[in-house]
Amino acid sequence: MQTLLRQAPSKRFLLLMLSCLLMLPAIFVPTSAHAASDAPAKVTITNTNVTAGQSATVPVMLTDPGDGVGAYNMQIDFDPSVLSIVSITPTHGVVAPEDGAPSDTGYFQSNFDNTAGWARVIWIDSTGGNARINDPAQLFAIEVKSLSSETTGTYHLTVDTSNDEKWAIYRSSSYAVSSTVEGGDIVISKANSGSGSGSGGSSGGGSATPTPTPTATPAPTATTAPVMVYIDGKEQQYATAQTSVQNGRTMIQLEVDNEKVIQQIDTSGIKELRLPIQSSTAAVVNSGLNGQLVKELEKRGATVKIETPSASYTLPAGDINIDAISAQVGSAVKLSDIKIIITIAAADNAVANAVQNQASQQGVTLVGAPVNFEIIAQYNGQNISIGQFNHYVERSITLPAGSDGSKMTTGVVLGEDGTLRHVPTYISVTGSTYFANINSLTNSSYAIVYAPASFKDVEKHWSKNDVNDLGSRLIMKGVSSNEFAPNASITRAEFTATLLRALGIHKASGSPSVSFSDVKAGSWYENEVKLAVSNKLISGYSDGTFRPNGLITREEAMIILNRALALTTLPTVSDAAEINSLLAAYGDSSSVSGYAKAAVASALKNGIVQGADGALNPDSNVTRAETAAIVKRLLVKAGLING
């Protein structure tokens, strides 16, 4: 026991875990339940290729659970002069909490010693039998690193199965079952290989010894391992992950067994297909589905969620619009022949440098590295980018360890003009880890920034919090570096531009043509008007003008806000009785134009606009402070930013 304890990250906890292993009769069914069967269990340590001097992920699989596994205890040994352990990540079970709260997937504990060359892993079903592993599953992943860029060859992760302190698989009732382990080869190769030859020469009739031709070191090959997918939270071994290194970046290609998933959801239905990748070193993660599976998910209103340690992407299958893709490649093409690649990747150096340089120019602080999200449909060498959506799609970026949640204000995207622009972002925290949850209408590379704003002239103004918040999100600017002019009116062009920035709309939807006679080419608002028209936020006046420099009224602002609701999950009001009921509470409701009543009612219903002293004041001009307040309420009510 003391030998085991010296290897534990928490002596008290490991003692408890080991005690549980020795007391399995108290938490599992009687031995007689297994008297008729003694099927051995089998564990596979996936053979893995590693580039010299770099890291790779080694999945450890329970490839055959026998009659079920209720606990395991294993020590994996390695040569510490060649390899080191970077991390051990559970894929079945959770790290046991200090308070001992139960887990539906059991307790997991691990530790490693890179000086002595061992890694110790223990897992136990903490539920009394409900979390036993009865199907093949990935148990955990070990991230190993080659210590030298010069050392190559085959090395081994080994287990001493003859020592029950270092290896044991339990079923129930202190029942240590027979078990085997296979694999564990770590093949280290240099990233670049080549060959050369030297030629011998002669001088004065003498001869030189020929220079031997160096033996070429084989280039690293891809490593393939089975991985788990989750259908509505239920673990299934329906995918494989191929890990390779390209241009110095670790890449993982996740291939889903589309037919197996379709068969499963035909039987049980589905709301979410979750594809987790555990590697913390992968710079690029590609997840491959075929068009037929996407169609089946779409018909059921299901989402696809790709998860990595650095980011996640939650995508309603319907947003892929597989029918439109099918029409592009040809309706005769089978959907199963169309491949959908969903990518989460660390932004390349050019993008990362551009974001960092622009952050410095704009005086904002970058929090973490930019992350790129991309979807591509592939067929017969043709790539179709899926980069624009009709409503918000969420992706989440994990903030660096130790990040201060109060020192990050928004997600940004690098605009076509080279500036960093706001994307709706709310910050969440799990334990001590912060996440930036970005909702966007497009795919792109996103980064998180800290850009606190404070204007002197709102210090004692009712709008202080709203104004400073929108300033820190790069949505509204001051009239100078420290003044906002909260009581000044705002023009129609300025209000439209503010709303576009707030909603994160930086690209046109389709190819808009602007025919307003008073929107001049080259004006500062020309592009904003095009964006607003293409996203159906504005339509202008019946005389063909937009009146960009005219002051916007409360009624006009609510009409534009009502159109923006279509991009969110907030409801609009169309029922006449409900419209009249909402407006009846205000004494001047008869002043609301007939065409604006539904929009005003929607703004009231969602709490975006509030009356003043029992009046709506539909014809009053909107101030800059009121703009900040109603735009922030829209984003908060829609769940796009923190309240």
Side-chain angles (χ1 to χ4, degrees):
M1 181 70 75
Q2 293 304 315
T3 301
L4 293 171
L5 287 175
R6 70 177 173 80
Q7 301 172 357
S10 169
K11 292 186 178 181
R12 288 172 54 196
F13 181 74
L14 185 52
L15 180 59
L16 173 62
M17 293 277 282
L18 293 174
S19 297
C20 289
L21 289 174
L22 298 174
M23 294 168 58
L24 285 171
I27 61 173
F28 290 118
V29 298
T31 308
S32 58
H34 295 283
S37 176
D38 191 23
K42 183 170 74 174
V43 171
T44 300
I45 303 173
T46 305
N47 295 332
T48 303
N49 291 292
V50 182
T51 301
Q54 298 187 26
S55 302
T57 299
V58 181
V60 178
M61 316 292 298
L62 180 64
T63 44
D64 188 343
D67 291 326
V69 173
Y72 64 78
N73 148 45
M74 65 180 75
Q75 177 173 314
I76 299 174
D77 298 308
F78 58 93
D79 185 343
S81 67
V82 177
L83 299 171
S84 69
I85 303 293
V86 177
S87 64
I88 301 175
T89 305
T91 51
H92 187 91
V94 299
V95 176
E98 291 294 331
D99 60 5
S103 165
D104 291 339
T105 56
Y107 288 154
F108 179 95
Q109 193 78 322
S110 66
N111 196 23
F112 53 87
D113 186 328
N114 283 323
T115 300
W118 54 256
R120 164 55 59 87
V121 180
I122 293 176
W123 172 86
I124 185 169
D125 172 7
S126 59
T127 67
N130 293 329
R132 278 168 32 108
I133 309 174
N134 295 310
D135 297 301
Q138 182 175 335
L139 302 177
F140 55 92
I142 305 176
E143 186 179 341
V144 300
K145 182 176 183 179
S146 162
L147 295 176
S148 170
S149 59
E150 299 301 322
T151 301
T152 60
T154 300
Y155 297 85
H156 308 281
L157 303 182
T158 62
V159 176
D160 182 0
T161 57
S162 65
N163 186 336
D164 59 8
E165 286 193 338
K166 295 183 177 181
W167 174 262
I169 303 288
Y170 294 89
R171 184 171 303 142
S172 66
S173 287
S174 60
Y175 197 84
V177 301
S178 60
S179 54
T180 61
V181 62
E182 62 180 24
D185 290 350
I186 305 296
V187 180
I188 304 176
S189 305
K190 288 192 175 181
N192 298 305
S193 61
S195 61
S197 61
S199 58
S202 62
S203 175
S207 64
T209 303
T211 303
T213 301
T215 302
T217 303
T221 57
T223 300
T224 301
V227 297
M228 295 298 163
V229 304
Y230 293 82
I231 298 176
D232 291 340
K234 185 176 180 181
E235 189 177 70
Q236 302 286 355
Q237 190 171 308
Y238 288 166
T240 58
Q242 184 181 83
T243 303
S244 61
V245 177
Q246 298 183 22
N247 299 321
R249 284 160 54 103
T250 300
M251 305 184 69
I252 294 180
Q253 177 68 46
L254 182 68
E255 294 292 346
V256 174
D257 190 326
N258 295 273
E259 289 302 318
K260 285 186 177 179
V261 175
I262 291 172
Q263 291 171 11
Q264 178 71 33
I265 65 179
D266 279 343
T267 302
S268 58
I270 187 172
K271 291 298 180 186
E272 181 187 70
L273 175 63
R274 184 163 64 91
L275 310 174
I277 292 293
Q278 302 297 332
S279 172
S280 60
T281 60
V284 181
V285 172
N286 297 318
S287 299
L289 314 173
N290 72 25
Q292 188 60 52
L293 174 55
V294 170
K295 186 64 179 178
E296 296 301 323
L297 294 172
E298 177 187 320
K299 288 192 296 186
R300 292 163 175 81
T303 60
V304 179
K305 185 172 186 178
I306 316 298
E307 288 182 335
T308 76
S310 61
S312 66
Y313 193 0
T314 303
L315 179 71
D319 287 347
I320 295 174
N321 200 352
I322 192 65
D323 290 340
I325 296 168
S326 176
Q328 284 186 258
V329 301
S331 57
V333 175
K334 293 180 180 179
L335 291 181
S336 57
D337 291 336
I338 301 172
K339 191 170 185 178
I340 305 297
I341 306 295
I342 305 172
T343 299
I344 299 175
D348 61 33
N349 289 337
V351 172
N353 290 337
V355 170
Q356 181 61 70
N357 292 338
Q358 189 59 38
S360 299
Q361 289 183 31
Q362 292 183 224
V364 302
T365 302
L366 200 62
V367 183
V371 180
N372 186 59
F373 299 84
E374 184 179 46
I375 307 173
I376 291 176
Q378 294 180 338
Y379 173 72
N380 196 29
Q382 180 181 3
N383 288 341
I384 300 172
S385 177
I386 305 166
Q388 200 137 11
F389 311 105
N390 295 324
H391 57 84
Y392 289 102
V393 175
E394 183 171 289
R395 64 275 289 154
S396 176
I397 296 176
T398 306
L399 279 304
S403 295
D404 183 346
S406 66
K407 292 188 176 180
M408 54 193 83
T409 51
T410 190
V412 294
V413 64
L414 193 64
E416 293 180 356
D417 62 353
T419 62
L420 298 179
R421 301 192 174 198
H422 165 265
V423 187
T425 305
Y426 69 91
I427 305 299
S428 61
V429 61
T430 300
S432 60
T433 303
Y434 284 90
F435 302 89
N437 306 287
I438 297 172
N439 281 276
S440 177
L441 300 168
T442 61
N443 280 327
S444 190
S445 293
Y446 301 93
I448 311 302
V449 299
Y450 177 53
S454 179
F455 299 99
K456 288 183 179 180
D457 58 349
V458 298
E459 193 61 35
K460 295 182 179 180
H461 197 273
W462 64 265
S463 65
K464 173 184 175 180
N465 291 337
D466 297 331
V467 167
N468 288 340
D469 189 18
L470 264 61
S472 71
R473 292 180 182 276
L474 311 182
I475 295 173
M476 294 192 78
K477 299 178 181 179
V479 296
S480 69
S481 61
N482 56 15
E483 291 186 337
F484 184 76
N487 298 319
S489 297
I490 191 168
T491 67
R492 287 169 53 81
E494 290 169 339
F495 182 87
T496 300
T498 297
L499 184 60
L500 288 169
R501 287 194 294 268
L503 296 171
I505 297 176
H506 308 301
K507 291 184 179 179
S509 178
S511 301
S513 60
V514 176
S515 57
F516 298 129
S517 60
D518 55 352
V519 175
K520 304 302 182 184
S523 60
W524 72 262
Y525 46 77
E526 179 191 15
N527 188 58
E528 276 69 15
V529 171
K530 286 182 179 180
L531 290 177
V533 169
S534 73
N535 285 277
K536 300 180 174 60
L537 296 179
I538 61 174
S539 57
Y541 292 94
S542 58
D543 63 359
T545 64
F546 176 64
R547 304 176 195 174
N549 296 315
L551 301 180
I552 193 168
T553 66
R554 287 168 59 85
E555 180 180 275
E556 290 172 333
M558 284 185 271
I559 290 173
I560 298 176
L561 289 169
N562 188 56
R563 293 169 180 161
L565 295 181
L567 301 173
T568 74
T569 57
L570 292 175
T572 56
V573 180
S574 58
D575 179 73
E578 186 177 9
I579 292 172
N580 292 333
S581 175
L582 287 163
L583 296 181
Y586 299 91
D588 60 349
S589 60
S590 61
S591 300
V592 178
S593 302
Y595 59 81
K597 286 186 176 181
V600 173
S602 294
L604 293 171
K605 179 182 178 72
N606 288 296
I608 297 170
V609 171
Q610 301 167 354
D613 299 323
L616 289 168
N617 302 313
D619 296 325
S620 297
N621 293 329
V622 178
T623 67
R624 284 169 55 81
E626 288 171 334
T627 298
I630 61 179
V631 167
K632 181 177 178 180
R633 286 189 207 122
L634 169 63
L635 297 178
V636 171
K637 296 291 185 180
L640 298 176
I641 67 172
N642 299 92

